[in-house]
Amino acid sequence: MTMESVVPRTTTLSVVIPMFNETAVIPALVARLRPVLDALGVDYEVVAVDDGSRDDTVSVLFDHGRDWPQLRVLRLRRNSGHQAALTAGLHRAVGQWVVSLDADLQDPPETIAEMLRVAREDGVDVVYGVRADRSTDTVFKRNSARGYYWAMRRLVGVDLPAQAGDFRLLSRDVIEVLRRLPERSPVYRLLVPSLGFPSAEVRYDREARAAGETKYPLRRMVALAWESTANFSAAPLRLATWLGMSSFLLCLALIVFGMVAHVSGTTIPGWTSMFVALLLLSGVQLVCLGLLGEYVGRIYATVQNRPAFHIGFDSRDEAPDAEPFARNCDVSGTPSLDSAVGVRG
């Protein structure tokens, strides 16, 4: 039986789950998620997006998919990042409602039923999962998250729900708008609120990670903050403008000082003043050029129009048989799908 016959195009609910090296947590995820979705009494699909995992994530997903036909595996050819994997899943989901969920079970799957109920009863297009209690997170994680949302509200100006990550429910109308946007590196926690669709919130207690290691260390958190700022705000360019104006005023002051010193006959150590002035102005210019270069680089990437991700295969379209699937696995158990099936990139 193929995924096409199990998951029709009229599917009510899609659950998109980006995954990267999540072998350890998949059994717990399936054990909690499947009963929740089965109890909803609607047609659904689970789109597990493997973001180029290096462990047995894909093999374990296929093992569970043999007994769970609604489980759909979407694999990217390389590791493209969490937001790119989420984009791939959202673009491929067929449900009238689409929930995005992380695999670590910190956001409880049981909240999905409440999200769907609120969306239907209140007639909204977006339902945000808002973390009411983050005591299971580290102090650094809580404070950095608080600082992120505070900075984004002031820099970006978006009506950003407090403590709302990537756990949300979107209507088909929102999904179609997202599909048409020319965003190359979308940050959905800012992009979705900026669309202005009617929304509601469902609060929940954030849990500890069920298994495995976090995929968002400090390095990725800093990268997310920068992507959020650069994609949604011209604040860095304004900073460059203010630095340029400040340096210009400083130059005027130095010129006036030099003229006064010359008229009064005061001796000035020429090489020292010139050296300091050149260093100061050169430093400001380099900062400005660096900030401008970030935006020029984004323009360059957009003009190139390179895809943010490449689909290796989609089990809804092509379900490899068990025997060829096993035959084309590498030593880690991860399938070498380029040789297993003739798929489209």
Side-chain angles (χ1 to χ4, degrees):
M1 181 180 292
T2 65
M3 288 298 296
E4 189 67 33
S5 61
V6 174
V7 183
R9 292 288 178 176
T10 56
T11 301
T12 301
L13 179 67
S14 295
V15 179
V16 176
I17 310 177
M19 295 185 178
F20 178 67
N21 293 345
E22 297 287 8
T23 300
V25 81
I26 291 175
L29 172 66
V30 173
R32 285 185 61 179
L33 180 60
R34 185 173 185 180
V36 170
L37 299 180
D38 288 341
L40 292 176
V42 300
D43 293 329
Y44 71 87
E45 65 169 351
V46 176
V47 185
V49 185
D50 175 63
D51 188 21
S53 297
R54 302 184 185 92
D55 62 1
D56 298 333
T57 295
V58 174
S59 300
V60 174
L61 286 172
F62 267 95
D63 288 341
H64 286 282
R66 293 187 179 98
D67 299 324
W68 192 11
Q70 288 86 359
L71 178 59
R72 174 182 167 194
V73 181
L74 182 68
R75 190 190 190 199
L76 308 187
R77 292 185 181 275
R78 61 177 176 83
N79 179 246
S80 302
H82 180 271
Q83 295 296 297
L86 181 56
T87 300
L90 294 178
H91 286 197
R92 286 279 180 135
V94 299
Q96 295 304 306
W97 301 95
V98 181
V99 173
S100 55
L101 174 71
D102 287 340
D104 55 19
L105 291 176
Q106 289 192 278
D107 302 327
E110 293 79 8
T111 310
I112 295 176
E114 178 68 8
M115 287 179 162
L116 187 59
R117 183 192 64 79
V118 169
R120 287 172 162 174
E121 293 183 358
D122 295 353
V124 297
D125 290 286
V126 182
V127 179
Y128 298 103
V130 176
R131 301 151 181 168
D133 181 7
R134 300 192 62 161
S135 58
T136 56
D137 289 336
T138 63
V139 175
F140 174 76
K141 181 73 172 180
R142 293 197 298 269
N143 290 332
S144 61
R146 188 178 299 112
Y148 170 83
Y149 291 109
W150 178 87
M152 290 304 104
R153 287 195 187 94
R154 282 152 181 78
L155 290 176
V156 177
V158 174
D159 187 14
L160 184 65
Q163 302 300 327
D166 286 317
F167 185 31
R168 67 180 71 85
L169 180 143
L170 306 174
S171 70
R172 173 50 51 182
D173 290 340
V174 179
I175 294 297
E176 292 306 318
V177 170
L178 293 176
R179 285 168 58 92
R180 292 194 297 268
L181 290 177
E183 293 280 341
R184 175 177 171 80
S185 302
V187 180
Y188 287 104
R189 62 187 66 190
L190 299 180
L191 181 58
V192 172
S194 71
L195 298 178
F197 280 90
S199 63
E201 297 180 359
V202 170
R203 303 177 70 82
Y204 65 93
D205 294 338
R206 187 166 171 83
E207 303 177 9
R209 191 177 228 281
E213 299 178 352
T214 179
K215 304 306 184 296
Y216 256 87
L218 178 61
R219 171 177 57 85
R220 289 185 179 270
M221 292 168 60
V222 172
L224 176 65
W226 170 247
E227 288 287 342
S228 302
T229 303
N231 284 1
F232 288 88
S233 174
L237 286 178
R238 295 192 183 100
L239 175 62
T241 301
W242 282 107
L243 287 174
M245 293 178 62
S246 299
S247 64
F248 177 72
L249 293 176
L250 179 61
C251 287
L252 290 180
L254 289 174
I255 291 174
V256 172
F257 175 78
M259 294 179 64
V260 171
H262 177 73
V263 172
S264 62
T266 302
T267 302
I268 302 175
W271 73 269
T272 303
S273 59
M274 184 64 68
F275 182 69
V276 171
L278 285 175
L279 284 180
L280 176 64
L281 296 178
S282 298
V284 172
Q285 289 174 349
L286 288 174
V287 170
C288 295
L289 287 175
L291 292 170
L292 291 173
E294 287 287 342
Y295 283 86
V296 172
R298 293 172 186 275
I299 295 173
Y300 176 67
T302 302
V303 171
Q304 285 181 316
N305 198 29
R306 293 175 179 172
F309 56 87
H310 299 273
I311 300 298
F313 74 96
D314 185 340
S315 63
R316 189 194 68 195
D317 300 330
E318 302 176 69
D321 296 332
E323 183 177 350
F325 176 77
R327 189 167 56 244
N328 289 280
C329 287
D330 57 25
V331 293
S332 67
T334 301
S336 178
L337 293 162
D338 292 343
S339 58
V341 290
V343 295
R344 297 181 294 277

